[in-house]
Amino acid sequence: MRLLACAYAVSSYGNYLNLIALSLFSYEITGTALGVGLLMALRLCAGFAAGLAAGALTARIGRRTTMIGADLTQATAMAALALGGEATPLALVACAVVVLGAGNTCFNVALRSAVPVMVGQEARGRVNGLLVTARSLATVLGFASAAAVIGWGGYPLAFALNAASFAVSAVALLLLRPRTDLPPGTEEPGKPAGRAPRAGRFRALAGLPALLLGLVLLRGLDALASSSHNVALPVVANAEHAAAPAVFMTQFWAAWAVGTVLAHLVLRRRAGEGAWSTRAFTLGTCAMSVAFVTAFLGLPAVGLVLAAACAGFADGWTEIVYTSRLQAVPDRERSRLFGLSATAEQSGFALGTVAAAGALEVWPAVTVVGLFHGAAFCGALALLLVATRRRASAPPEPATARA
C-alpha cells in the first residue's frame, strides 16, 4: 500500500502543478479572466457529472480498471497539450479540462471506495491518513515548484510532467494489481455490524440513512466554505504581501501540510469505530472553520503559520474521519455513496468559487471567509445536535454500531 500511496503522491503533485500551469495557460489562450473562469467552471461541471456516474461505472468495469482508465485518459490529454504548446487551440484546451475534471473524480471515487477491500476495515483509517498526507505534501510541492518549472521549460514542460505523473500512477496500478473489488455476494473481512433497518430510518434519497446523507451535505457545505479561502488567499497575498506574495502562499500551504500530517499521526493511534463518528467529524469541521478565519485576521508571521497549521490539522482530521466513516457502509453501496459525495463537493466548491469571487469585490477577505466558514460552522453544529438527539432517543447499542 505504501508504493501505491507514493504513486498517488506523484499523481497529486502533477495535479497541483497543473492547477497553476493550466490556469495561467488558459489566461494566455483566452486573454480574459472570464475565459479562465469559464474553463474552470467547465472542469467543475465535468467533475459534477462524473460524480453522478462514477458509482455505476465502477460497478460495471471494476474500481482498478476505472482508476487505470482515468489515469491513462488524463495522461493522454496532458500529453496533447504538451505537444501543442503555445499553438494549442482553445477547443483542445476545453476538451482537456473536461477530461481532467471527470477523470480526477472517477479516480478518487474508485480509490476511496476500494480502500477497505485493499487493506480491510480495521486498517482503513491508517491508510486514509497515509493518502491524505501524501496528497498534502504533493500540494505544497506542486504549488512551490510551479513557478520554477514554468520559468525553465514553459507550459509544455509542466503539462508533460503532469502527463508523466498520471502514467506513473497507472503503471503502479498495473504492476501492483491491488485487489479493489469483492466477488459478488461477499463482504470484506472485519466489516463492522451496522444497525438493522427500522421503519423511518431510511429516507427516499439514494436509499441511504438520513444521518449519513447529512454528513455528505455537510461535506458539500465544507467545500463551499473552503472555496472562499482558496479564492481569498491570492488576493491577500498580492494586497498585503506585495513584495513577496509567493512566499506568503508557500508559508501558508507548507504550514497547512504540516498540520495534515500531524492529524494523521494522531488519528492512527485511535482505535474503534468511535474514532470515525459524526461527532468527531462535526467538531473537526467547526475547528477547521475557526482556524481558517483566524488565518485572515492579519496575524504576524508566527501567528499565521500556527493558524494555518491548525487549519491543516482540522482539515486532515475531517477528511480522514469522513472518508473512513463512508467506507464503513457495505461494499455494494460504497461507490454510489462516494459518487454522491464527489457531486456534493464539486457543487459546493463551484458555487462557492463564483460567490466568493463576487463577494471579494465588495467586502474584505476576512469578512468573506468569515461568512462562508460561518455557514459551515453552523451546519456542523446543526448536524451535531441532530446526531446527539438521535443517540439520546435510541435504545442502547454496541459502540461499533453508532454513527
Side-chain angles (χ1 to χ4, degrees), residues 341-355:
S341 175
T343 299
E345 292 175 57
Q346 294 280 354
S347 302
F349 197 85
L351 177 62
T353 298
V354 175

PDB file of all heavy atoms in Angstrom, residues 341-355:
ATOM      1  N   SER A 341     -20.973  11.874  -2.809  1.00  0.00           N
ATOM      2  CA  SER A 341     -20.128  12.807  -2.066  1.00  0.00           C
ATOM      3  C   SER A 341     -19.317  13.693  -3.017  1.00  0.00           C
ATOM      4  O   SER A 341     -19.203  14.903  -2.809  1.00  0.00           O
ATOM      5  CB  SER A 341     -19.187  12.024  -1.148  1.00  0.00           C
ATOM      6  OG  SER A 341     -18.277  12.886  -0.500  1.00  0.00           O
ATOM      7  N   ALA A 342     -18.753  13.086  -4.067  1.00  0.00           N
ATOM      8  CA  ALA A 342     -17.977  13.864  -5.036  1.00  0.00           C
ATOM      9  C   ALA A 342     -18.838  14.925  -5.709  1.00  0.00           C
ATOM     10  O   ALA A 342     -18.406  16.061  -5.936  1.00  0.00           O
ATOM     11  CB  ALA A 342     -17.367  12.937  -6.081  1.00  0.00           C
ATOM     12  N   THR A 343     -20.081  14.567  -6.016  1.00  0.00           N
ATOM     13  CA  THR A 343     -21.003  15.525  -6.627  1.00  0.00           C
ATOM     14  C   THR A 343     -21.289  16.689  -5.687  1.00  0.00           C
ATOM     15  O   THR A 343     -21.288  17.859  -6.097  1.00  0.00           O
ATOM     16  CB  THR A 343     -22.313  14.817  -7.008  1.00  0.00           C
ATOM     17  OG1 THR A 343     -22.036  13.788  -7.968  1.00  0.00           O
ATOM     18  CG2 THR A 343     -23.311  15.796  -7.596  1.00  0.00           C
ATOM     19  N   ALA A 344     -21.510  16.365  -4.407  1.00  0.00           N
ATOM     20  CA  ALA A 344     -21.776  17.417  -3.417  1.00  0.00           C
ATOM     21  C   ALA A 344     -20.569  18.331  -3.254  1.00  0.00           C
ATOM     22  O   ALA A 344     -20.706  19.565  -3.193  1.00  0.00           O
ATOM     23  CB  ALA A 344     -22.144  16.786  -2.076  1.00  0.00           C
ATOM     24  N   GLU A 345     -19.379  17.757  -3.212  1.00  0.00           N
ATOM     25  CA  GLU A 345     -18.171  18.551  -3.037  1.00  0.00           C
ATOM     26  C   GLU A 345     -17.899  19.436  -4.259  1.00  0.00           C
ATOM     27  O   GLU A 345     -17.543  20.609  -4.122  1.00  0.00           O
ATOM     28  CB  GLU A 345     -16.980  17.635  -2.762  1.00  0.00           C
ATOM     29  CG  GLU A 345     -17.054  16.923  -1.410  1.00  0.00           C
ATOM     30  CD  GLU A 345     -15.914  15.936  -1.214  1.00  0.00           C
ATOM     31  OE1 GLU A 345     -14.754  16.356  -1.296  1.00  0.00           O
ATOM     32  OE2 GLU A 345     -16.190  14.737  -0.990  1.00  0.00           O
ATOM     33  N   GLN A 346     -18.052  18.866  -5.448  1.00  0.00           N
ATOM     34  CA  GLN A 346     -17.833  19.655  -6.670  1.00  0.00           C
ATOM     35  C   GLN A 346     -18.843  20.792  -6.760  1.00  0.00           C
ATOM     36  O   GLN A 346     -18.494  21.922  -7.135  1.00  0.00           O
ATOM     37  CB  GLN A 346     -17.952  18.748  -7.903  1.00  0.00           C
ATOM     38  CG  GLN A 346     -16.870  17.701  -8.020  1.00  0.00           C
ATOM     39  CD  GLN A 346     -15.570  18.251  -8.572  1.00  0.00           C
ATOM     40  OE1 GLN A 346     -15.501  19.403  -8.978  1.00  0.00           O
ATOM     41  NE2 GLN A 346     -14.531  17.434  -8.579  1.00  0.00           N
ATOM     42  N   SER A 347     -20.092  20.517  -6.426  1.00  0.00           N
ATOM     43  CA  SER A 347     -21.134  21.548  -6.483  1.00  0.00           C
ATOM     44  C   SER A 347     -20.838  22.668  -5.501  1.00  0.00           C
ATOM     45  O   SER A 347     -20.933  23.857  -5.831  1.00  0.00           O
ATOM     46  CB  SER A 347     -22.501  20.933  -6.163  1.00  0.00           C
ATOM     47  OG  SER A 347     -22.811  19.889  -7.044  1.00  0.00           O
ATOM     48  N   GLY A 348     -20.480  22.281  -4.258  1.00  0.00           N
ATOM     49  CA  GLY A 348     -20.192  23.284  -3.238  1.00  0.00           C
ATOM     50  C   GLY A 348     -19.008  24.158  -3.611  1.00  0.00           C
ATOM     51  O   GLY A 348     -19.061  25.382  -3.469  1.00  0.00           O
ATOM     52  N   PHE A 349     -17.952  23.534  -4.108  1.00  0.00           N
ATOM     53  CA  PHE A 349     -16.759  24.299  -4.453  1.00  0.00           C
ATOM     54  C   PHE A 349     -17.011  25.217  -5.646  1.00  0.00           C
ATOM     55  O   PHE A 349     -16.549  26.366  -5.670  1.00  0.00           O
ATOM     56  CB  PHE A 349     -15.596  23.358  -4.748  1.00  0.00           C
ATOM     57  CG  PHE A 349     -14.256  24.038  -4.713  1.00  0.00           C
ATOM     58  CD1 PHE A 349     -13.582  24.207  -3.521  1.00  0.00           C
ATOM     59  CD2 PHE A 349     -13.671  24.525  -5.877  1.00  0.00           C
ATOM     60  CE1 PHE A 349     -12.352  24.857  -3.477  1.00  0.00           C
ATOM     61  CE2 PHE A 349     -12.446  25.164  -5.847  1.00  0.00           C
ATOM     62  CZ  PHE A 349     -11.778  25.327  -4.638  1.00  0.00           C
ATOM     63  N   ALA A 350     -17.751  24.717  -6.651  1.00  0.00           N
ATOM     64  CA  ALA A 350     -18.048  25.536  -7.831  1.00  0.00           C
ATOM     65  C   ALA A 350     -18.898  26.743  -7.465  1.00  0.00           C
ATOM     66  O   ALA A 350     -18.590  27.883  -7.844  1.00  0.00           O
ATOM     67  CB  ALA A 350     -18.753  24.684  -8.884  1.00  0.00           C
ATOM     68  N   LEU A 351     -19.967  26.503  -6.712  1.00  0.00           N
ATOM     69  CA  LEU A 351     -20.841  27.599  -6.297  1.00  0.00           C
ATOM     70  C   LEU A 351     -20.078  28.583  -5.421  1.00  0.00           C
ATOM     71  O   LEU A 351     -20.194  29.804  -5.574  1.00  0.00           O
ATOM     72  CB  LEU A 351     -22.047  27.038  -5.544  1.00  0.00           C
ATOM     73  CG  LEU A 351     -23.035  28.053  -4.969  1.00  0.00           C
ATOM     74  CD1 LEU A 351     -23.653  28.882  -6.095  1.00  0.00           C
ATOM     75  CD2 LEU A 351     -24.118  27.351  -4.165  1.00  0.00           C
ATOM     76  N   GLY A 352     -19.269  28.038  -4.497  1.00  0.00           N
ATOM     77  CA  GLY A 352     -18.522  28.904  -3.592  1.00  0.00           C
ATOM     78  C   GLY A 352     -17.481  29.743  -4.309  1.00  0.00           C
ATOM     79  O   GLY A 352     -17.265  30.908  -3.951  1.00  0.00           O
ATOM     80  N   THR A 353     -16.828  29.182  -5.320  1.00  0.00           N
ATOM     81  CA  THR A 353     -15.809  29.926  -6.059  1.00  0.00           C
ATOM     82  C   THR A 353     -16.410  31.154  -6.732  1.00  0.00           C
ATOM     83  O   THR A 353     -15.856  32.259  -6.661  1.00  0.00           O
ATOM     84  CB  THR A 353     -15.148  29.019  -7.111  1.00  0.00           C
ATOM     85  OG1 THR A 353     -14.492  27.927  -6.448  1.00  0.00           O
ATOM     86  CG2 THR A 353     -14.127  29.792  -7.925  1.00  0.00           C
ATOM     87  N   VAL A 354     -17.556  30.971  -7.373  1.00  0.00           N
ATOM     88  CA  VAL A 354     -18.215  32.089  -8.051  1.00  0.00           C
ATOM     89  C   VAL A 354     -18.705  33.117  -7.037  1.00  0.00           C
ATOM     90  O   VAL A 354     -18.486  34.332  -7.195  1.00  0.00           O
ATOM     91  CB  VAL A 354     -19.393  31.568  -8.900  1.00  0.00           C
ATOM     92  CG1 VAL A 354     -20.165  32.745  -9.508  1.00  0.00           C
ATOM     93  CG2 VAL A 354     -18.896  30.648  -9.999  1.00  0.00           C
ATOM     94  N   ALA A 355     -19.361  32.630  -5.964  1.00  0.00           N
ATOM     95  CA  ALA A 355     -19.913  33.545  -4.961  1.00  0.00           C
ATOM     96  C   ALA A 355     -18.813  34.288  -4.209  1.00  0.00           C
ATOM     97  O   ALA A 355     -18.917  35.494  -3.954  1.00  0.00           O
ATOM     98  CB  ALA A 355     -20.782  32.761  -3.972  1.00  0.00           C
TER      99      ALA A 355
END
